[in-house]
Amino acid sequence: SEYGENMSLATQAENEDFGNDYSGPRYTDYDASRLLILMDHASTCPGRHKRAKTRDACQSTKLLMLHARDCPGTTSMYDICPFPWCRKTKHLLYHLISCSDPETCQICVPKIFPANL
């Protein structure tokens, strides 16, 4: 999407395209692939981890997923969402469903899978 120079930030946020034309902040391929691993885990995890650090990471990932699903990209005052990961996560999810090469993509098929998950 092209934004007019006179378009407010709120209007830009409402009209944001998180697809191929997205020009906002992005995760590195490495961080994106690790987040997808966490999201895959958190999506089915009942949350009964023994280690507090692992439990906190899992719970935070669940909250990130809920926020990304429900956030329209703006606050009630039409400002861009204040969470720095929100727009990046929306773009990552768009990539996940539209990847042109999911069998070999460095994001969709991580090379290093954490042993502790």
Side-chain angles (χ1 to χ4, degrees), residues 3 11 28 30 33 36 48 59 70 75 77 100-101 103 112:
Y3 297 126
T11 303
T28 64
Y30 178 76
S33 66
L36 287 177
R48 294 186 289 267
Q59 183 176 11
D70 297 339
T75 66
M77 301 301 292
S100 61
D101 195 13
E103 300 299 318
I112 300 171

Side-chain angles (χ1 to χ4, degrees), residues 96-115:
L96 183 64
I97 63 169
S98 65
C99 182
S100 61
D101 195 13
E103 300 299 318
T104 60
C105 174
Q106 290 182 351
I107 295 171
C108 299
V109 183
K111 291 182 175 150
I112 300 171
F113 196 87

Side-chain angles (χ1 to χ4, degrees), residues 50-98:
K50 293 178 183 174
R51 293 180 50 216
K53 184 176 179 181
T54 306
R55 184 176 50 250
D56 291 347
C58 185
Q59 183 176 11
S60 294
T61 304
K62 288 176 181 286
L63 293 173
L64 173 143
M65 291 165 51
L66 289 172
H67 177 90
R69 180 195 69 190
D70 297 339
C71 180
T74 61
T75 66
S76 60
M77 301 301 292
Y78 301 104
D79 293 321
I80 290 175
C81 178
F83 294 106
W85 42 260
C86 178
R87 295 168 63 223
K88 292 193 277 190
T89 302
K90 287 178 177 293
H91 175 66
L92 173 59
L93 294 174
Y94 177 86
H95 169 86
L96 183 64
I97 63 169
S98 65

